[in-house]
Amino acid sequence: MKTIAKIKTDFPTKFGIPRQSGLVEELKGMVIFEPEYRNSEALRGLEDFSHIWLLWEFSEAVSDKWSPTVRPPKLGGNVRKGVFATRSPFRPNSIGLSSVKLESIEHTEKYGTVLIVSGADLMDGTPIVDIKPYVPYSDCHTEAVGGFAKDGSEKLIVVFPEELRKNVPAEKLGALIKVLELDPRPAYQNDPDRIYGFGFAGMEIRFKVFDSVLTVTEVSKYKK
């Protein structure tokens, strides 16, 4: 398998990334092709599709070992399911799959032709191994059943003090609030006194959660 591209997103680490693609459409990403694949002919016709599939590598979870069962965070981390019944990154082959909206195909001086996508659930720099068009008549199954994976409709109430909002660029604020509404914490952590933090768009976002209310406590410059 060859890395054909890498994606540029607002998430420098795994923490905070929505658990599925498409949950926060305001999240933008740029797919930057590796020099060997910067050929616009390879994208001919892609502009006719509204959505695409990204196949990518869980680059932070590559391992020579695997387990037939894993503990999905969705179930609180204390229930085991078969690895092939989950989307866990800890798999025999560390491949991820995301459906994203293709916002535009643009030409840049630095990177050649790039793809601007929205709704991506990938960390900054994630290797992309393939891109395929999303075909509605075959890829969309309205009768599908989601098993133990709920629909994600449960959201937190976000309290974001005005003095902290001023530290967030206006074009990033909406996406950030929706990321917080989805509860970035691991499902098995529920300490109301604990302060959590994650990197987003060059900022360190710190917050705490009590019951179903998330309160932002600090916005500062992100430090690696």
Side-chain angles (χ1 to χ4, degrees):
M1 294 266 276
K2 297 181 179 180
T3 296
I4 65 166
K6 292 183 178 178
I7 190 167
K8 184 175 180 59
T9 72
D10 286 326
F11 293 98
T13 65
K14 294 180 292 183
F15 193 96
I17 299 176
R19 295 180 177 89
Q20 302 294 342
S21 58
L23 294 180
V24 181
E25 293 184 357
E26 289 82 358
L27 289 175
K28 296 295 191 294
M30 178 189 295
V31 176
I32 301 172
F33 290 90
E34 296 292 282
E36 181 181 356
Y37 301 100
R38 290 179 187 175
N39 187 331
S40 59
E41 286 297 293
L43 301 173
R44 185 192 297 181
L46 191 64
E47 69 277 2
D48 296 329
F49 293 88
S50 65
H51 292 72
I52 58 177
W53 291 106
L54 300 179
L55 284 81
W56 46 278
E57 181 185 21
F58 284 103
S59 53
E60 298 295 301
V62 177
S63 174
D64 294 331
K65 299 179 181 180
W66 75 286
S67 171
T69 62
V70 295
R71 301 174 186 268
K74 191 75 174 178
L75 298 177
N78 51 20
V79 177
R80 285 196 171 273
K81 294 289 184 179
V83 65
F84 300 129
T86 75
R87 297 191 178 187
S88 167
F90 304 104
R91 334 180 57 78
N93 293 304
S94 53
I95 297 174
L97 176 69
S98 296
S99 172
V100 298
K101 184 177 181 181
L102 178 60
E103 297 286 350
S104 62
I105 302 176
E106 300 180 3
H107 178 77
T108 69
E109 291 295 328
K110 186 176 182 179
Y111 301 119
T113 303
V114 301
L115 307 181
I116 307 300
V117 300
S118 60
D121 56 339
L122 286 77
M123 189 176 76
D124 186 52
T126 295
I128 308 294
V129 297
D130 202 4
I131 296 168
K132 300 179 187 294
Y134 178 97
V135 182
Y137 81 87
S138 62
D139 291 350
C140 179
H141 302 280
T142 57
E143 76 286 2
V145 177
F148 68 84
K150 297 179 181 179
D151 61 8
S153 60
E154 297 180 5
K155 292 182 172 60
L156 297 178
I157 298 170
V158 174
V159 176
F160 204 144
E162 187 62 33
E163 63 270 20
L164 296 180
R165 288 187 182 223
K166 295 177 181 179
N167 298 327
V168 181
E171 69 275 12
K172 300 292 184 181
L173 183 59
L176 174 58
I177 290 175
K178 290 195 174 182
V179 167
L180 294 170
E181 287 177 345
L182 293 174
D183 195 351
R185 300 173 303 164
Y188 51 84
Q189 292 185 1
N190 193 28
D191 182 352
D193 296 320
R194 180 169 178 173
I195 301 295
Y196 302 86
F198 65 97
F200 179 79
M203 300 170 287
E204 177 79 16
I205 310 300
R206 301 183 69 80
F207 65 92
K208 60 182 180 180
V209 180
F210 180 72
D211 286 341
S212 59
V213 178
L214 181 152
T215 302
V216 178
T217 60
E218 183 181 352
V219 177
S220 59
K221 184 176 181 181
Y222 178 74
K223 297 179 181 179
K224 295 183 180 180

